[in-house]
């Protein structure tokens, strides 16, 4: 299978996906399929995880990048390739290029996490930091392609890329032939489109549900309009699906073959990530956890067996720390409370005694003594507490009020 740049709007077929699967033999891993007992109980039928977070480079992106670069004409390969990405696509292009002996340049935002920059360099790409948002980085990469003749490798808007991502769908059907529903995160649409092409051609009865972050959901208005439309200022912790406009090629496929697109909140994403870590022992990035978030938000609406596609596991450790705290808070297992008390010896010990009685574990304490809002004898205390759920949080708050403390927040 080989497409030149001029073939970028060619339809993607099952034969294309099968050709991509042969091309990826020995390159991409056939990733594991793991059962989830917790979600199985919630949904009422078997739920499995397709673990693309355990793929080489930590995400499914290697599949599409390799197929796209392998399909270049000899003169295109000689010119090298260029990409723009904050993470997963960057690493996929870097490794694919190294495996194929093609020179690669990857533009990344200046604020990209250091582990992702380092990984992209280690896979063999030249990394150039440009801009503070992905749009600026993308423009710089396209300008570089125009100036040097390097081939721009789009993260989702090309038939080769979609065919490569579709190989995940073939693996799902092989590993879980009884599947009835596949849930997949959607950013630009390349993964969902590829999976849909492969699965619907062989099993049209399988329902495919796409999931977007509510703050970056470009597909619902695009589907309503019948064409890709842009949303302004997409905002979500799930940077892997933080895309302001669907790709033209994947949009047509998603509109035709994907049965439904749902949205999930930031709380649902962080709760899903926490569940993957605690219950499945899998490190998953927010975008990769989006199918789990959809299952948690309305578990009985999915016909099983269900396969949730965990698309990636590349999450910056600092972001992971914040997300876990956010997820614990959403579950009522973490409580931050600010209150005022009289600044006198023993006051803090008395406060901690109240918390001890209600079995709240104190993680952190901070004091504010110099603030115009405070009286001369007042001190403001911020407590970070580990709690046992929403009911326990309410009990902690009530115990503080009963003890005479003024709870500010």
């Amino acid at each position: 299978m080989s497409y030149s740049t001029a073939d970028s709007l060619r339809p993607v077929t099952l034969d294309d996906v099968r050709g991509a699967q042969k091309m990826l033999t020995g390159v991409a891993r056939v990733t594991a399929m793991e059962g989830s007992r917790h979600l199985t109980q919630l949904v009422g039928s078997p739920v499995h995880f397709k673990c693309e977070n355990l793929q080489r480079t930590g995400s499914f992106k290697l599949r599409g990048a390799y197929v796209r670069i392998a399909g270049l004409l000899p003169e295109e390969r000689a010119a090298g390739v260029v990409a723009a990405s904050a993470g997963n696509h960057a690493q996929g292009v870097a490794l694919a290029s190294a495996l194929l002996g093609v020179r690669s340049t990857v533009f990344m935002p200046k604020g990209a996490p250091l582990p992702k920059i380092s990984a992209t360099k280690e896979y063999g790409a030249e990394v150039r930091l440009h801009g503070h948002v992905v749009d600026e980085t993308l423009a710089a990469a396209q300008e570089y392609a125009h100036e040097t003749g390097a081939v721009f490798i789009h993260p989702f808007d090309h038939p080769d890329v979609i065919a490569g991502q579709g190989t995940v769908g073939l693996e799902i059907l092989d590993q879980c032939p009884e599947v009835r529903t596949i849930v997949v995160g959607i950013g630009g649409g390349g993964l969902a489109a590829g999976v849909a092409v492969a699965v619907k051609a062989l099993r049209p009865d399988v329902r495919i549900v796409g999931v977007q972050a509510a703050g970056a959901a470009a597909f619902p208005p695009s589907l309503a309009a019948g064409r890709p439309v842009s949303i302004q200022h997409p905002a979500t912790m799930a940077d892997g699906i933080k895309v302001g406009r669907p790709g033209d090629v994947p949009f047509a496929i998603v509109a035709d073959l994907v049965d439904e697109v749902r949205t999930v909140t930031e709380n649902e994403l962080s709760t899903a990530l926490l569940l993957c870590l605690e219950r499945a022992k899998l490190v998953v990035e927010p975008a990769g956890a989006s199918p789990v978030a959809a299952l948690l938000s309305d578990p009985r609406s999915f016909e099983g067996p269900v396969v949730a596609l965990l698309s990636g596991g590349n999450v910056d450790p600092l972001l992971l720390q914040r997300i876990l705290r956010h997820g614990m808070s959403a579950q009522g297992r973490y409580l931050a409370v600010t209150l005022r008390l009289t600044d006198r010896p023993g006051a803090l010990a008395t406060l901690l005694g109240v918390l001890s009685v209600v079995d709240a574990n104190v993680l952190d304490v901070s004091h504010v003594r110099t603030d115009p809002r405070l009286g001369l004898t007042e001190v403001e205390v911020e407590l970070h507490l580990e709690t046992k759920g929403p009911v326990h949080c309410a009990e902690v708050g009530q115990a503080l009020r009963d003890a005479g403390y003024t709870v500010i927040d």
Side-chain angles (χ1 to χ4, degrees):
M1 179 180 59
S2 175
Y3 304 121
S4 69
T5 305
D7 295 319
S8 61
L9 295 180
R10 176 178 172 176
V12 185
T13 68
L14 176 62
D15 285 342
D16 294 327
V17 180
R18 284 176 165 161
Q21 187 176 45
K22 292 179 181 178
M23 190 179 296
L24 288 167
T25 300
V27 175
R29 295 175 181 143
V30 177
T31 50
M33 183 85 74
E34 300 288 345
S36 171
R37 185 174 63 177
H38 179 71
L39 285 176
T40 293
Q41 292 172 344
L42 290 178
V43 173
S45 57
V47 175
H48 307 279
F49 293 149
K50 175 59 172 170
C51 300
E52 281 295 288
N53 58 310
L54 303 179
Q55 185 56 264
R56 296 177 71 179
T57 75
S59 89
F60 71 96
K61 289 287 190 177
L62 171 65
R63 298 173 183 263
Y66 186 91
V67 174
R68 171 76 173 103
I69 297 169
L72 294 177
L73 300 173
E75 59 269 27
E76 292 174 321
R77 287 199 191 193
V81 299
V82 60
S85 169
N88 290 347
H89 181 58
Q91 294 174 63
V93 168
L95 178 57
S97 299
L99 293 172
L100 291 164
V102 176
R103 184 179 71 259
S104 64
T105 303
V106 176
F107 284 76
M108 304 181 76
K110 291 181 180 178
L114 290 177
K116 294 184 178 182
I117 295 173
S118 298
T120 304
K121 289 180 178 179
E122 289 173 7
Y123 286 128
E126 177 189 347
V127 174
R128 299 192 179 191
L129 301 180
H130 185 93
H132 296 281
V133 295
V134 174
D135 287 344
E136 295 173 351
T137 308
L138 178 62
Q142 291 173 328
E143 182 179 354
Y144 177 88
H146 178 72
E147 291 176 350
T148 65
V151 179
F152 179 69
I153 306 299
H154 200 283
F156 49 80
D157 204 12
H158 194 281
D160 280 359
V161 173
I162 293 170
Q165 321 305 29
T167 59
V168 181
L170 294 180
E171 290 178 17
I172 289 173
L173 293 183
D174 182 57
Q175 294 170 311
C176 185
E178 68 278 12
V179 63
R180 297 292 299 172
T181 305
I182 297 173
V183 191
V184 54
I186 298 185
L191 177 61
V195 170
V197 167
V199 172
K200 289 293 188 177
L202 296 169
R203 288 280 308 280
D205 59 302
V206 173
R207 185 172 178 81
I208 299 178
V209 178
V211 184
Q212 292 208 287
F219 263 91
S222 296
L223 292 170
R227 57 181 175 79
V229 298
S230 299
I231 59 170
Q232 299 300 314
H233 311 300
T236 175
M237 69 175 75
D239 57 355
I241 53 175
K242 184 181 176 181
V243 178
R245 182 187 183 279
D248 293 327
V249 180
F251 174 78
I253 297 171
V254 170
D256 184 40
L257 298 179
V258 172
D259 296 281
E260 180 186 1
V261 176
R262 301 187 181 193
T263 62
V264 292
T265 67
E266 299 298 284
N267 277 353
E268 288 165 343
L269 285 168
S270 57
T271 299
L273 188 149
L274 184 60
L275 182 143
C276 289
L277 187 63
E278 287 190 323
R279 297 298 184 94
K281 317 307 177 190
L282 292 169
V283 176
V284 181
E285 62 190 86
S290 59
V292 179
L295 289 170
L296 289 173
S297 68
D298 192 6
R300 293 291 175 172
S301 65
F302 294 89
E303 181 184 1
V306 178
V307 172
L309 206 171
L310 309 183
S311 58
N314 291 318
V315 56
D316 178 56
L318 295 177
L319 176 62
L320 179 61
Q321 184 180 40
R322 294 197 297 270
I323 293 171
L324 291 178
R325 181 169 289 186
H326 190 272
M328 291 179 68
S329 179
Q331 290 186 338
R333 296 167 52 192
Y334 177 87
L335 178 64
V337 59
T338 302
L339 48 82
R340 290 179 186 171
L341 63 155
T342 303
D343 191 9
R344 57 178 175 78
L348 182 58
T350 302
L351 170 61
L352 296 179
V354 173
L355 295 171
S356 176
V357 170
V358 290
D359 202 22
N361 184 32
V362 179
L363 301 175
D364 190 31
V365 180
S366 62
H367 297 77
V368 175
R369 287 187 170 85
T370 56
D371 192 298
R373 298 176 294 113
L374 299 174
L376 290 175
T377 61
E378 286 184 320
V379 61
E380 195 168 272
V381 177
E382 181 179 335
L383 299 163
H384 292 190
L385 309 172
E386 184 180 3
T387 48
K388 301 175 183 178
V391 173
H392 190 215
C393 285
E395 291 174 353
V396 171
Q398 190 60 50
L400 291 170
R401 284 186 288 270
D402 289 347
Y405 293 104
T406 302
V407 179
I408 308 301
D409 184 20

